[in-house]
Amino acid sequence: MKATIFCPDLVADSDGREVGNGKLGDVNSRVWRIALIAIGLIAVIIGGVFAGQGMNLIPGSFMTGNRMWLSIGLIVAGVGVILVVLGLRLPKSGR
């Protein structure tokens, strides 16, 4: 079941996808792509640091050598990779 939300600034194209009328839709697509990619890259970096500390590769923290942080780091990095892929797969705004 697909839910639709009424917004007067959005119109449907021939494929039934909602597109902007030049005011809001084009910016949203581009902004969401950039935001997903940026947040994903940050999550990959943070996850890598956590995993590195959990594997005792990066010393100097309470996380060093603790396998729990290895697991948390791998999960955070995995979520980051998913966000980057989603950001790259979103349709580009039409010009």
Side-chain angles (χ1 to χ4, degrees):
M1 182 174 183
K2 185 176 180 181
T4 57
I5 299 173
F6 174 73
C7 182
D9 289 338
L10 298 176
V11 295
D13 65 1
S14 61
D15 294 335
R17 294 182 307 177
E18 291 180 346
V19 295
N21 59 2
K23 294 180 184 175
L24 184 64
D26 294 338
V27 173
N28 276 344
S29 177
R30 184 169 183 238
V31 169
W32 277 112
R33 284 174 50 92
I34 293 170
L36 283 175
I37 293 169
I39 292 169
L41 289 175
I42 291 169
V44 168
I45 292 169
I46 291 172
V49 169
F50 284 8
Q53 288 181 334
M55 289 188 302
N56 206 16
L57 298 175
I58 304 172
S61 170
F62 67 92
M63 297 187 287
T64 302
N66 190 340
R67 289 204 180 263
M68 179 185 73
W69 291 105
L70 171 63
S71 301
I72 292 172
L74 292 176
I75 291 169
V76 171
V79 169
V81 168
I82 291 170
L83 290 177
V84 169
V85 169
L86 287 175
L88 292 174
R89 291 179 53 98
L90 277 178
K92 294 182 181 175
S93 58
R95 292 185 183 207

